[in-house]
Amino acid sequence: MNRAFLPLLKSTLVALLAASSVAVVISGTAQAAAADPAKGSALYGTGDAARGIPACVSCHGDAGNSTIAQNPKLAAQHEAYIVKQLANFKSGERNNAIMSPIAKALTDDEARNLAAFLNAQSLKPGAAKNKDIVEFGKKIYRAGIAEKNVPACAGCHGPNGAGIPAQFARLGGQHQDYTIAQLTGFNNGTRSNNPVMTTIAKRMSTDEIQAVADYVAGLK
């Protein structure tokens, strides 16, 4: 073999091995990140008592359609949003006496599996309760409150409350009580895992929060 060719051959082999290593790493990462909705469904329905994880269905309802006004509907919620909230409960960035210990018991894969399962479910629509304030809520949702520098909710969450995957949560059809509780939490600082929402909610009155929550509940 030509001696002059050996350095070139060596460098080529090194490059090929490096490329193969990168491919393996990328492939492994993709496999680790892949969610399994079937596993999410099983965990959602039965929990894991040995690890202190209750069945999610007991609070959040069949297929994520909670019938308890204080507990959010999770059906059709964006995967990235659910994963982020579980991570925030786990880290303490978002606090909840019930959800925080549950989230801490979940693995990252389990959180992704649950999120994938819930995202694939169909959301049962809600309805406004107070017809006297729903038009007020509609005005705020669509146009904001200019004098208070409150932007239109529709700008981020969409005209029908569907949100934007990986960026903004789905709000349409959510329970009024839950939406009120979250906006109030952002307003008074008891929920602080979204700086943008904290700024917006602090500028809103109780009446404005209630009106928006009622309007959002009826969005489809």
Side-chain angles (χ1 to χ4, degrees), residues 23-54:
V24 169
V25 170
I26 292 175
S27 175
T29 300
Q31 290 177 358
D36 188 332
K39 289 183 178 178
S41 175
L43 185 60
Y44 185 89
T46 63
D48 188 337
R51 295 164 53 213
I53 302 172

Side-chain angles (χ1 to χ4, degrees), residues 6 11 32 37 42 50 53 58 65 67 81 119 122 142 152 162 172 174 203 218:
L6 288 175
S11 63
I53 302 172
S58 61
N65 282 289
T67 57
Y81 180 78
N119 177 248
S122 297
R142 293 189 174 185
Q174 188 58 265
R203 297 170 180 165

Side-chain angles (χ1 to χ4, degrees), residues 116-138:
F117 164 70
L118 289 164
N119 177 248
Q121 306 311 301
S122 297
L123 177 68
K124 292 183 179 179
K129 292 179 179 178
N130 190 337
K131 294 181 180 179
D132 294 333
I133 64 173
V134 71
E135 284 300 319
F136 182 34
K138 178 180 179 179

Side-chain angles (χ1 to χ4, degrees), residues 114-200:
L114 285 168
F117 164 70
L118 289 164
N119 177 248
Q121 306 311 301
S122 297
L123 177 68
K124 292 183 179 179
K129 292 179 179 178
N130 190 337
K131 294 181 180 179
D132 294 333
I133 64 173
V134 71
E135 284 300 319
F136 182 34
K138 178 180 179 179
K139 180 180 178 181
I140 296 172
Y141 189 88
R142 293 189 174 185
I145 310 171
E147 62 273 23
K148 290 187 172 183
N149 199 25
V150 172
C153 313
C156 291
H157 296 283
N160 63 349
I164 300 175
Q167 296 184 58
F168 305 108
R170 177 184 293 276
L171 300 180
Q174 188 58 265
H175 294 304
Q176 289 94 332
D177 289 2
Y178 180 76
T179 301
I180 289 170
Q182 299 317 301
L183 288 173
T184 301
F186 284 126
N187 177 286
N188 63 27
T190 55
R191 179 174 174 182
S192 58
N193 68 326
N194 187 314
V196 173
M197 283 307 306
T198 295
T199 299
I200 293 171

